[in-house]
Amino acid sequence: MITDTKLIKAIIAKRVAKELKDGQLVNLGIGLPTLVTNYIPKEYKITFQSENGMVGMGSTPKPGYEDSNIINSGGQFATVLPEGVFFDSSTSFGLIRGGHVDVTVLGALEVDQYGNLANWIVPKKMIAGMGGAMDLVTGAKTVIIAMQHTRKGKPKILKKCTLPLTAKGQVNLIVTELCVIEVKPEGLILKEIYKDTTIDEIKSVTDADLIIDDKVKFMDV
């Protein structure tokens, strides 16, 4: 198992970046997903949205270059490209609910083998609110979950979610530091594994049933 948190986040963000295509409008959720902007090829023209009211979000600012007036939906410092624009939340959610977002990349507390997602509340924990996740997973054309494979050693990819759901059957792809899993009507298909792991190891830390693709390959990270 990989234990270096910085490496884990880099592996996931790099692999998610390879799923994005030139010309897409992409929403990045708070936390780990925001790192995806750091791994987009320079020749690609991908427009990133932050639902607090920004289109044209750039990469994470270097230390010392943060601007307190430019933050993403998670309250983290961000950058904006020269062509970037700012607007109110109603316009931002008009893009999301109107089906204009090609891909949303979100973190998760749990995902299950039916493509269900739980990522907004842990019972008895103080929370700020559900945020925009429920709109994003139903409004975006493709939903990618970017998350660590386990939490405190316990599987996050389950047969059935135990936490309150954000959405039912909306997840298309799961990317962790160990593997890439495609969500299909027949179940979870293991497509790629990290070079330093094995299929058996992934099975041991996954509660859900996995369908092993005939051509499983190593993750390109």
Side-chain angles (χ1 to χ4, degrees):
M1 294 289 290
I2 307 168
T3 56
D4 184 333
T5 302
K6 189 174 182 179
L7 175 60
I8 287 171
K9 291 180 178 180
I11 291 169
I12 298 169
K14 285 180 183 179
R15 181 58 189 82
V16 170
K18 295 182 183 299
E19 288 294 314
L20 307 183
K21 297 178 174 61
D22 198 29
Q24 287 182 324
L25 174 62
V26 178
N27 178 281
L28 300 177
I30 64 175
L32 194 161
T34 61
L35 300 178
V36 172
T37 57
N38 299 332
Y39 301 104
I40 301 299
K42 290 183 179 179
E43 65 272 18
Y44 275 33
K45 180 64 175 179
I46 296 173
T47 303
F48 289 102
Q49 181 211 22
S50 183
E51 69 259 30
N52 59 323
M54 185 193 325
V55 160
M57 185 169 62
S59 58
T60 305
K62 295 179 180 179
Y65 289 86
E66 300 91 347
D67 184 336
S68 60
N69 292 311
I70 304 175
I71 59 172
N72 60 32
S73 57
Q76 301 163 312
F77 289 116
T79 60
V80 62
L81 301 178
E83 67 272 22
V85 293
F86 300 96
F87 37 73
D88 59 27
S89 291
S90 62
T91 302
S92 187
F93 277 86
L95 286 172
I96 296 167
R97 294 172 182 172
H100 303 290
V101 175
D102 294 298
V103 181
T104 185
V105 183
L106 299 169
L109 296 167
E110 295 176 349
V111 182
D112 70 26
Q113 61 196 41
Y114 304 101
N116 298 328
L117 168 66
N119 78 340
W120 76 279
I121 185 172
V122 177
K124 300 182 181 180
K125 295 283 187 179
M126 182 72 72
I127 59 166
M130 66 182 67
M134 292 181 182
D135 291 286
L136 284 163
V137 293
T138 55
K141 297 168 188 173
T142 300
V143 177
I144 299 175
I145 298 303
M147 68 176 190
Q148 290 187 225
H149 204 93
T150 62
R151 183 177 183 273
K152 297 181 178 179
K154 295 183 178 180
K156 295 174 67 176
I157 305 174
L158 309 176
K159 286 184 171 65
K160 187 176 181 180
C161 288
T162 63
L163 296 173
L165 294 185
T166 304
K168 294 182 68 175
Q170 296 295 326
V171 176
N172 301 110
L173 195 73
I174 304 167
V175 179
T176 78
E177 76 276 18
L178 298 181
C179 62
V180 177
I181 296 172
E182 192 172 3
V183 183
K184 290 289 189 180
E186 60 267 31
L188 302 183
I189 303 175
L190 183 65
K191 304 289 289 188
E192 301 176 19
I193 66 173
Y194 186 62
K195 62 183 178 65
D196 291 334
T197 191
T198 65
I199 292 174
D200 285 341
E201 181 185 18
I202 292 168
K203 284 182 175 180
S204 73
V205 290
T206 305
D207 177 65
D209 298 320
L210 293 177
I211 301 168
I212 311 303
D213 190 274
D214 293 335
K215 299 180 180 179
V216 175
K217 60 182 182 179
F218 288 120
M219 293 169 66
D220 182 15
V221 290

